[in-house]
């Protein structure tokens, strides 16, 4: 049970480091907590380190968590099918994110400039890696691309400086311009 006042109170706790919404299927609470203020900021969540999203969530909307700089870990529940554009863009300290099976769409720039993201496993069902999805993920060293991917869009991995090898599935028929530009240490493409 919550009221709008309770949500506003929680939003103002600047020292909050973990939010675990896994015990609720109340996606309205989630939407209320992560509503931007008039300046486009998430008031009160500057110190957030870990976020566990609610069961029952279907889509992570565009720019929902963009620029939560200290966020290190996100747990996405089963049932989510889409990650919106720049949903986690500029979450510079995001190190770990597990994308569950069932996700079929990852929006453009979804992990843009997640500079500390080291490993990502893209689930089966995703058919394309969108434009700039991992752009500027400079610490990314390990990525698993499933056989269901047929397209790697332009700028998908631009400036992933720590990426040394990548396995591209046989079913990929299109690789966009600059998909791997700035991947200075990429020495093996299979």
């Amino acid at each position: 049970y919550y009221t709008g006042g309770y949500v506003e109170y929680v939003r103002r706790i600047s020292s909050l480091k973990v939010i675990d919404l896994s015990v609720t299927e109340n996606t309205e609470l989630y939407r209320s907590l992560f509503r931007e203020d008039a300046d486009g900021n998430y008031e009160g969540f500057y110190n957030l380190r870990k976020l566990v999203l609610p069961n029952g969530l279907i889509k992570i909307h565009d720019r929902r968590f963009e620029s939560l700089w200290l966020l290190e870990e996100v747990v996405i529940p089963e049932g989510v099918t889409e990650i919106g554009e720049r949903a986690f863009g500029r979450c510079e300290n995001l190190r770990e994110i597990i994308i569950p099976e069932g996700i079929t769409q990852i929006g453009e720039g979804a992990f843009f400039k997640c500079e500390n993201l080291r490993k990502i496993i893209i689930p089966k069902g995703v058919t394309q890696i969108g434009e700039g999805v991992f752009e500027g993920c400079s610490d990314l060293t390990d990525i698993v691309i499933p056989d269901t991917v047929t397209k790697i869009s332009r700028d998908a991995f631009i400036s992933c400086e720590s990426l040394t090898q990548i396995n591209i599935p046989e079913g990929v028929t299109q690789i966009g311009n600059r998909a791997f530009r700035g991947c200075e240490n990429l020495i093996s493409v299979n």
Side-chain angles (χ1 to χ4, degrees):
Y1 175 77
Y2 76 98
T3 66
Y6 172 75
V7 169
E8 290 306 313
Y9 174 75
V10 170
R11 290 181 74 214
R12 290 190 181 106
I13 300 174
S14 62
S15 62
L16 195 61
K17 292 186 175 157
V18 176
I19 295 179
D20 186 342
L21 298 173
S22 64
V23 296
T24 182
E25 291 191 16
N26 189 339
T27 56
E28 188 58 40
L29 173 60
Y30 152 80
R31 283 197 270 301
S32 296
L33 278 171
F34 294 99
R35 185 182 64 233
E36 297 175 8
D37 65 15
D39 296 322
N41 299 312
Y42 296 99
E43 182 179 4
F45 292 118
Y46 299 115
N47 289 310
L48 189 63
R49 303 286 199 286
K50 180 177 179 179
L51 175 64
V52 181
L53 296 174
N55 294 318
L57 189 64
I58 296 170
K59 178 181 180 179
I60 299 172
H61 292 277
D62 295 354
R63 301 179 182 264
R64 181 63 71 180
F65 304 107
E66 187 175 31
S67 297
L68 290 179
W69 295 291
L70 297 177
L71 188 63
E72 296 174 359
E73 181 182 356
V74 175
V75 178
I76 300 174
E78 297 290 329
V80 173
T81 60
E82 182 178 346
I83 298 174
E85 292 181 13
R86 292 182 76 146
F88 298 99
R90 296 189 185 275
C91 290
E92 296 171 2
N93 283 302
L94 186 61
R95 292 186 176 107
E96 181 179 345
I97 188 162
I98 298 170
I99 301 176
E101 295 292 325
I103 297 262
T104 57
Q105 185 174 346
I106 301 173
E108 292 181 11
F111 300 100
F112 171 76
K113 292 224 176 198
C114 291
E115 296 171 354
N116 287 299
L117 187 63
R118 291 182 177 87
K119 179 180 180 178
I120 192 105
I121 299 172
I122 299 171
K124 291 182 187 249
V126 172
T127 59
Q128 77 170 18
I129 298 174
E131 188 174 320
V133 168
F134 300 104
E135 180 178 344
C137 294
S138 55
D139 282 356
L140 186 64
T141 58
D142 192 10
I143 183 148
V144 177
I145 301 174
D147 293 339
T148 55
V149 170
T150 59
K151 178 182 178 184
I152 298 174
S153 299
R154 71 183 196 138
D155 300 334
F157 296 98
I158 195 168
S159 298
C160 291
E161 299 162 359
S162 298
L163 195 61
T164 58
Q165 67 92 25
I166 190 162
N167 294 317
I168 298 176
E170 288 182 24
V172 172
T173 58
Q174 184 178 357
I175 297 177
N177 293 337
R178 302 184 313 262
F180 298 99
R181 182 179 182 185
C183 295
E184 300 165 355
N185 294 302
L186 186 61
I187 55 174
S188 176
V189 178
N190 299 320

